[in-house]
Amino acid sequence: MKRILLQAILGGPPDVGKMLGGEEDKDPEAEKEKEEERQEALRQQEEERKAKYAKMEAEREVMRQGIRDKYGLKKKEEAEAEAQAAMDAASEGSLTRPKKAVPSGCGDDDEEEESIMDTVMKYLPGPLQDMLKK
């Protein structure tokens, strides 16, 4: 009754009573449905966003592959896999990890040692050379 009077006096919509602090009809089912609809809309937006970015990434990958083909490049994963396979093949049958390559000029090389001795021998006098050769 109050609501009807307020509407008649104010000439407003039926919700004027609620706006003025009157009774509010709360329906938990309606609120629950609204929340479910909102959650579904968020899920749908997220799926659309993921699909959009997946499509963009696929297009980028096509472009990358074209560049790789044009310049004869390999994918980073493929290059790493080949390097790992080569390392595994080199150390197959070994119980220890593969040794690192020793750069030239380092380590115990007999050839290098002989060449150093030959160089030293050139600068020694004849009798000293004969003595060291024995």
Side-chain angles (χ1 to χ4, degrees), residues 9-65:
I9 294 171
L10 298 174
D15 294 337
V16 172
K18 292 180 186 175
M19 287 187 242
L20 295 175
E23 284 184 26
E24 208 173 299
D25 296 332
K26 291 187 177 180
D27 187 13
E29 283 294 317
E31 289 179 19
K32 191 174 183 180
E33 285 180 26
K34 283 182 182 179
E35 181 62 24
E36 288 175 1
E37 288 175 10
R38 189 181 72 81
Q39 291 294 330
E40 181 61 33
L42 288 174
R43 275 192 293 273
Q44 185 176 3
Q45 286 176 345
E46 183 67 18
E47 288 173 5
E48 289 172 0
R49 185 187 68 81
K50 285 182 180 180
K52 173 185 168 185
Y53 284 105
K55 179 183 173 188
M56 288 172 55
E57 185 60 30
E59 290 172 357
R60 288 186 189 124
E61 187 58 35
V62 168
M63 291 180 71
R64 288 184 198 118
Q65 190 60 45

